[in-house]
Amino acid sequence: MKSFIGIALILIAGLAVSIWIGFHTKMAEGTLPYDDDQKGIQDQVVIKFSHVVAENTPKGLAAQRFAKRVNEKSNGQIKIEVIPNGGLYSDQEELEALQSGDVQMIAPATTKLSSFSPKWQILDLPYAMPTRESIIKALNGDIGNTLLQSLEEKNMKGLTLWINGFKQITTNDGPVVHPDDLSGQNLRIMPSKVLEKQFDLVGAKAVGLDFNDTYRLLESKELNGEENTISNIYSKKFFDVQSHLTISNHGFLGYAVIMNDEFWNKLTKQQQRIISEALDEATRWNQTQSFAMNEEQLALIERNSSIDIHYLTKEEKREWAKRWEPVYRAFKSEIGDDLLSKMIQLRDSYNDF
């Protein structure tokens, strides 16, 4: 009997110890801090960066480079999720999405920002920045700063300006050498009063359409042609559905890197510093590599496609510039005398044709 009682007491004691150990362990687990990986994930700031072009373009590569540097500089505490090719929003939707806070960061073509401030129209003026050096000087100087600051009252934080390159003309009704060669043609442009006026002066009908619809409309012959940079012509394979390409360098295509202003203001000073530093690095890279990329891809188009390519001579460029000179007068009051005077002075000091 005694042995039975002894065994029972041992079992009861063992059960009590087991319960105590299990309870104590659970309590301890509840008070232990997360390890570093868990804490990093919990505290991580995630920024969705939406854009509409391919990854192998000046903007696409600059966005990837920026995201990588932010991750490195923040030790993974800030994550930039880059969504290219209009995978999140189309180029007609992204500005509204940014303002409403549905996305934190975008890099729209500067042309699209004229709906918020007519000053942005200055970057669409034909032959306004005739050289690489003039583009970089305009974007990094007073003209660029004035444009970025104009976004502040629209719940947008203008951070920097990126370059794609010079715009060219493609068409199925070519070759396009002189302004009148575009007469009667339907061309895709980004929505812009300046661009509409520009092509109206040469007798073409310019239609503002979504970038990612362009290939289909060219292939179906609903459009005769379009204007774009070589990197976009190459990445979207417009050369497969166009017979003529004119290297005119008549316009500029670039992007404003913008963040939702409320989101920016909620970031700590350190987080803002990391983002700004990474953007500065990506911008310097973009401004040195974008032109080289366009040149490399033009060489690939020449080598691997059957499209006919014509390079405008200096004399032919002067003919186009003269035909388009009225565009400057037409938008003088909207852009503003001071800003337009700065651009004209810049243009004339770099003009080499």
Side-chain angles (χ1 to χ4, degrees):
M1 183 69 177
K2 289 181 179 180
S3 62
F4 174 78
I5 294 172
I7 292 170
L9 289 172
I10 290 170
L11 290 173
I12 292 169
L15 180 62
V17 169
S18 298
I19 293 171
W20 182 85
I21 290 172
F23 182 74
H24 179 75
T25 301
K26 290 293 184 183
M27 289 294 291
E29 285 177 355
T31 58
L32 282 173
Y34 288 115
D35 61 30
D36 288 342
D37 288 339
Q38 288 177 308
K39 190 173 188 297
I41 292 170
Q42 185 184 46
D43 296 343
Q44 189 179 62
V45 174
V46 178
I47 299 172
K48 286 186 170 61
F49 186 169
S50 172
H51 69 80
V52 301
V53 300
E55 293 174 289
N56 62 330
T57 58
K59 176 165 66 172
L61 292 173
Q64 292 176 51
R65 194 177 189 88
F66 163 63
K68 182 174 183 290
R69 291 299 290 135
V70 168
N71 181 68
E72 292 169 349
K73 286 175 173 289
S74 69
N75 293 318
Q77 294 299 297
I78 306 174
K79 181 181 180 181
I80 308 292
E81 290 186 357
V82 180
I83 303 101
N85 280 313
L88 195 58
Y89 296 102
S90 73
D91 57 356
Q92 304 298 328
E93 300 168 335
E94 60 182 3
L95 280 163
E96 183 178 343
L98 181 81
Q99 286 185 295
S100 64
D102 293 331
V103 67
Q104 292 77 46
M105 201 168 185
I106 61 174
T110 57
T111 299
K112 300 191 186 84
L113 298 170
S114 59
S115 61
F116 297 102
S117 171
K119 290 181 173 67
W120 286 91
Q121 295 176 123
I122 197 169
L123 298 181
D124 286 334
L125 293 172
Y127 289 115
M129 297 173 287
T131 66
R132 302 177 184 190
E133 295 76 16
S134 63
I135 290 174
I136 292 172
K137 187 169 184 178
L139 299 189
N140 293 350
D142 290 342
I143 293 173
N145 290 334
T146 298
L147 295 175
L148 290 173
Q149 289 172 10
S150 72
L151 300 174
E152 291 181 359
E153 61 187 46
K154 304 296 182 180
N155 195 28
M156 294 187 286
K157 175 69 177 179
L159 296 171
T160 193
L161 293 161
W162 285 349
I163 296 168
N164 185 317
F166 291 111
K167 289 192 289 186
Q168 322 299 344
I169 299 168
T170 70
T171 179
N172 278 322
D173 295 317
V176 174
V177 178
H178 305 287
D180 289 335
D181 292 335
L182 282 178
S183 181
Q185 296 200 39
N186 294 323
L187 303 178
R188 182 268 172 184
I189 60 167
M190 284 183 287
S192 162
K193 292 189 297 181
V194 171
L195 299 181
E196 287 179 13
K197 177 67 174 179
Q198 179 176 313
F199 286 106
D200 181 63
L201 287 170
V202 297
K205 181 182 179 182
V207 186
L209 296 169
D210 191 286
F211 174 66
N212 287 315
D213 289 336
T214 306
Y215 185 97
R216 175 181 59 81
L217 294 170
L218 292 172
E219 184 179 35
S220 67
K221 310 297 184 185
E222 294 177 63
L223 293 175
N224 301 108
E226 52 88 48
E227 62 160 9
N228 234 308
T229 60
I230 291 298
S231 71
N232 284 347
I233 293 168
Y234 177 78
S235 66
K236 293 299 184 182
K237 297 185 177 181
F238 293 157
F239 55 83
D240 281 345
V241 289
Q242 296 276 264
S243 59
H244 293 82
L245 166 62
T246 298
I247 305 301
S248 54
N249 290 354
H250 66 276
F252 164 75
L253 177 60
Y255 311 103
V257 182
I258 311 170
M259 187 173 283
N260 175 277
D261 194 50
E262 290 180 13
F263 184 86
W264 171 262
N265 290 329
K266 289 178 182 177
L267 297 173
T268 67
K269 295 298 182 183
Q270 183 182 12
Q271 290 167 339
Q272 291 177 354
R273 178 183 57 78
I274 289 171
I275 290 169
S276 296
E277 288 179 357
L279 265 181
D280 286 344
E281 292 179 24
T283 299
R284 286 194 296 273
W285 180 88
N286 165 263
Q287 292 184 351
T288 58
Q289 295 299 314
S290 55
F291 296 107
M293 186 179 302
N294 277 279
E295 289 175 355
E296 291 168 6
Q297 292 175 345
L298 176 58
L300 290 172
I301 291 172
E302 286 185 294
R303 187 160 61 245
N304 300 321
S305 81
S306 61
I307 195 168
D308 177 74
I309 302 176
H310 175 76
Y311 292 77
L312 290 185
T313 65
K314 289 185 178 183
E315 183 179 348
E316 288 163 353
K317 286 182 181 179
R318 283 195 290 269
E319 182 184 4
W320 285 85
K322 183 177 180 180
R323 181 70 72 88
W324 279 333
E325 189 64 29
V327 180
Y328 286 74
R329 296 191 293 272
F331 292 91
K332 181 179 179 180
S333 61
E334 292 186 33
I335 293 170
D337 287 349
D338 183 57
L339 198 61
L340 185 59
S341 295
K342 288 179 181 178
M343 182 63 88
I344 292 173
Q345 184 178 6
L346 181 73
R347 177 198 67 180
D348 293 346
S349 65
Y350 282 95
N351 200 337
D352 65 345
F353 59 83

